[in-house]
Amino acid sequence: MPEDPIAHSELAALTRRFEEVAAQDSREFGIIKSDLTAVRLQVGNLDQKVENLTGQVSAVNQRLDGLERKIDGFIDEQRTVNTTMVELLSTLVGKSTDTQ
C-alpha cells in the first residue's frame, strides 16, 4: 500500500494545530494560575488588614467606653454641684427648696 501524501499532509497540519492549541491552552492556564496566586495573596493581605482594623476598632470602643464613664461621672458631679448651688442660693434668699 503506497503512502498517501495528502493524508500525511493533513495529518501533519492537524497535529500542528493540536500542538498550537495545546501550547496556547498551557500559556493561558499559566496566566490563570498566576492570576489566581496574585488574588490569593491579595485576599491574604485583605484578611490581615481586616484583622488590624478589628483590633483598632476594639481599641477605639474601649476608649469610647472610658470616655462614656467619665462623662457619666461628670454629669453626676455636675448634678451634685447644681443641687448644692440651689441649696446655697435658697439659703441666701431665705427660701427652702422644699416649700413653694
Side-chain angles (χ1 to χ4, degrees):
M1 232 198 296
E3 293 187 17
D4 186 356
I6 295 174
H8 277 285
S9 174
E10 287 190 18
L11 183 59
L14 286 173
T15 301
R16 273 193 314 276
R17 283 190 216 137
F18 174 79
E19 288 171 350
E20 288 171 1
V21 169
Q24 183 178 356
D25 287 350
S26 180
R27 282 190 303 275
E28 289 174 357
F29 178 75
I31 291 168
I32 290 170
K33 188 175 176 184
S34 174
D35 288 349
L36 181 59
T37 300
V39 168
R40 284 180 178 158
L41 289 173
Q42 289 175 347
V43 167
N45 289 337
L46 288 174
D47 282 345
Q48 189 175 14
K49 287 179 181 181
V50 167
E51 273 185 41
N52 290 340
L53 285 174
T54 301
Q56 290 174 359
V57 166
S58 177
V60 167
N61 283 338
Q62 288 176 355
R63 290 184 71 193
L64 287 175
D65 288 344
L67 286 173
E68 186 177 358
R69 285 192 296 276
K70 286 181 181 181
I71 289 170
D72 288 344
F74 175 77
I75 290 171
D76 289 343
E77 187 177 322
Q78 190 62 44
R79 284 184 181 137
T80 302
V81 168
N82 288 346
T83 301
T84 303
M85 285 176 59
V86 167
E87 289 172 358
L88 288 172
L89 290 172
S90 295
T91 301
L92 284 175
V93 295
K95 290 188 178 181
S96 172
T97 56
D98 297 331
T99 60
Q100 303 249 330

